[in-house]
Amino acid sequence: MTPDTTAPVYTTVPVITHDTAAGAVALTIEEGERVGVRACATIVDPALGLVAYGRADGMTPHSVETSRRKADTAASTRRPSALMNPELAQKLEHGTGGLLTSIAGGVPLVFDGTLVGGLGVADGKPDEDAVIAAAVLERLGAEPPATA
């Protein structure tokens, strides 16, 4: 098979900028403080590459990985981590070596209908993490998370 030399040789993939990602981290810590949570945030691009990470002083160490998995889940599924199909949640978590999670607190980062990454918030109770994540999306001007 001969390649089509008239076809494009690259694609352009929208990704969140570092400035916006760093701002999302700062907003997450701020929103966490507002509700009494020492939150951490991970921001990934659509290919699950780490763009930014930050944490409040005194948060628990295991939340670092939890926030990453929530961000990865939201970016790769384009849905909040809590909305993973219950029938598939355990299978996907095991099948991906724990890369994905169904724990609330991960949300896709979507601006003007374009997915640019995922945000994972951790260290509070899952419902608190989801509230913090939704507040960060609102403050960033991103689309709100899906609810079903």
Side-chain angles (χ1 to χ4, degrees):
M1 181 172 145
T2 306
D4 179 359
T5 57
T6 62
V9 295
Y10 66 91
T11 62
T12 302
V13 179
V15 298
I16 191 166
T17 65
H18 179 266
D19 285 346
T20 301
V25 168
L27 289 172
T28 299
I29 294 169
E30 189 178 301
E31 287 293 327
E33 287 173 358
R34 190 179 62 72
V35 297
V37 173
R38 294 179 180 147
C40 68
T42 299
I43 311 293
V44 298
D45 65 25
L48 311 186
L50 179 64
V51 179
Y53 169 79
R55 63 190 184 108
D57 294 336
M59 59 145 263
T60 57
H62 66 274
S63 292
V64 173
E65 187 58 35
T66 304
S67 71
R68 175 67 187 248
R69 292 175 187 197
K70 291 177 181 185
D72 286 346
T73 300
S76 65
T77 66
R78 300 171 182 251
R79 298 171 52 88
S81 53
L83 293 184
M84 187 183 294
N85 181 332
E87 293 178 19
L88 297 177
Q90 188 174 19
K91 292 175 185 174
L92 286 173
E93 290 176 31
H94 288 293
T96 61
L99 177 66
L100 302 180
T101 184
S102 59
I103 301 170
V107 292
L109 291 163
V110 178
F111 294 87
D112 300 322
T114 301
L115 176 78
V116 296
L119 162 65
V121 176
D123 208 51
K125 295 175 184 168
D127 289 345
E128 292 172 323
D129 294 343
V131 167
I132 293 167
V136 170
L137 292 182
E138 183 176 345
R139 290 184 65 186
L140 286 173
E143 293 180 16
T147 57

